[in-house]
Amino acid sequence: MLVLGRGSNLVISDKGWPGLAISFGPRFSTVEIEADGTVSAGTAVPLPRLARETVKHGRGGLEFFVGIPGSVGGAVRMNAGGHGSETAAWLLHARVFDLGTAASSKMTADDLEMSYRHSNLRPNQLVLSADFRTEAIDPAQGEERLREITQWRRIHQPGGTHNAGSVFRNPPGDAAGRIIDELGLKGFRIRGAAVSKKHANFFEADPGAAAQDVYDLVMEVRRRVEDKTGIDLQPEVQFAGDFE
Ligand SMILES: Cc1cc2nc3c(=O)[nH]c(=O)nc-3n(C[C@H](O)[C@H](O)[C@H](O)COP(=O)(O)OP(=O)(O)OC[C@H]3O[C@@H](n4cnc5c(N)ncnc54)[C@H](O)[C@@H]3O)c2cc1C
């Protein structure tokens, strides 16, 4: 079974997915802001929308989500983060439905063992919604922070292209992009997929490229990095389905 969020961290095989895929409809797209500042968001809410809505209501903390094109469910599953923050730091609890036991439970960041781009959610566990704590802020300051983050992204990351964000997790104490760049691999290409010239940990697929092209590029860069540095980079991007 494959649970889909907004697909921003996924590369799905050219042969498709040989099983059940679940995606969440509009019923899971609501955002409610309670008097005490708790923000309850449905699993399908796009993260940039969550960042903007909370700021508009004078609630801060979730601004870092503005540059992450995933959903609330994907953010919980991946412990999405950036700009000095991460999902786990603001999550009060997620409502998780287990298809194996047909039971739903409220799980905290500790229950989910959230760490760098990791949670212990299994493929048959669905995040239905999440409650976040927030802090009171001046909406004008919040808007400024949103602008800073989007501007930073525009300068440092390739926008408007087919990519799935950071390809590899950063190894402890280093940055995957720096290592790949140092090996001169910016612009390195396999068929329809290339290492971004703007940020070496982003790989871009040409329109019409095969998922296999992306997979082959990821594996080749990983092999070259290990050969030259001994570091075995771990993909952050998830591959779903069959790849050769
Ligand atoms: C341009 C760009 C920039 C990015 N920048 C960042 C960044 O700064 N920081 C960062 O952390 N990530 C970043 N990403 C990666 C991605 O946006 C995050 O990992 C995001 O959290 C994935 O959310 P999604 O809804 O797209 O999940 P998907 O890609 O659809 O799925 C990712 C994983 O989560 C699971 N999943 C999705 N929804 C649910 C659910 N409701 N219940 C249970 N499991 C679920 C899927 O099964 C899959 O295992 C970036 C991606 C892009 C394309």
Side-chain angles (χ1 to χ4, degrees):
M1 200 183 71
L2 177 64
V3 189
L4 288 170
R6 301 190 82 214
S8 63
N9 203 46
L10 284 175
V11 180
I12 295 174
S13 162
D14 300 307
K15 296 172 195 153
W17 171 252
L20 180 67
I22 293 186
S23 91
F24 294 89
R27 212 186 120 201
F28 295 88
S29 293
T30 55
V31 176
E32 282 166 32
I33 302 176
E34 290 159 29
D36 68 354
T38 301
V39 174
S40 305
T43 197
V45 172
L47 298 171
R49 181 184 142 207
L50 185 60
R52 292 188 188 284
E53 280 201 25
T54 49
V55 162
K56 204 166 71 191
H57 286 86
R59 303 305 308 181
L62 305 182
E63 293 91 324
F64 69 99
F65 277 150
V66 77
I68 307 180
S71 65
V72 165
V76 173
R77 165 69 176 75
M78 299 300 299
N79 189 17
H83 305 275
S85 201
E86 60 179 6
T87 307
W90 300 92
L91 183 72
L92 292 170
H93 49 250
R95 199 150 69 83
V96 175
F97 184 77
D98 189 314
L99 283 170
T101 60
S104 95
S105 54
K106 281 186 171 180
M107 297 178 83
T108 63
D110 281 349
D111 297 333
L112 292 163
E113 297 176 315
M114 291 170 88
S115 58
Y116 173 59
R117 304 296 174 265
H118 169 84
S119 72
N120 64 11
L121 281 170
R122 296 187 305 276
N124 65 347
Q125 288 181 303
L126 314 179
V127 175
L128 301 183
S129 63
D131 284 2
F132 298 96
R133 69 182 179 89
T134 57
E135 296 169 348
I137 48 152
D138 171 6
Q141 274 177 7
E143 294 287 354
E144 184 51 33
R145 178 84 182 119
L146 295 178
R147 260 193 302 276
E148 277 168 21
I149 293 173
T150 43
Q151 175 72 358
W152 186 93
R153 296 250 166 188
R154 217 167 284 139
I155 293 169
H156 294 98
Q157 297 179 352
T161 62
H162 297 292
N163 71 76
S166 298
V167 172
F168 297 106
R169 293 183 164 86
N170 289 323
D174 209 338
R178 192 202 64 75
I179 298 169
I180 298 166
D181 191 7
E182 207 165 272
L183 296 190
L185 292 173
K186 270 188 177 165
F188 173 60
R189 157 178 298 274
I190 292 186
R191 300 183 300 276
V195 177
S196 165
K197 291 182 180 156
K198 208 167 189 182
H199 189 313
N201 199 24
F202 279 63
F203 295 4
E204 297 170 287
D206 297 341
Q212 187 68 45
D213 300 347
V214 178
Y215 182 87
D216 289 348
L217 183 67
V218 171
M219 293 309 149
E220 181 58 19
V221 169
R222 186 179 180 187
R223 191 186 67 75
R224 290 189 184 200
V225 167
E226 188 167 21
D227 276 1
K228 293 271 193 264
T229 68
I231 299 169
D232 182 15
L233 291 177
Q234 297 301 310
E236 179 177 322
V237 161
Q238 299 191 353
F239 292 96
D242 293 335
F243 289 88
E244 281 157 32

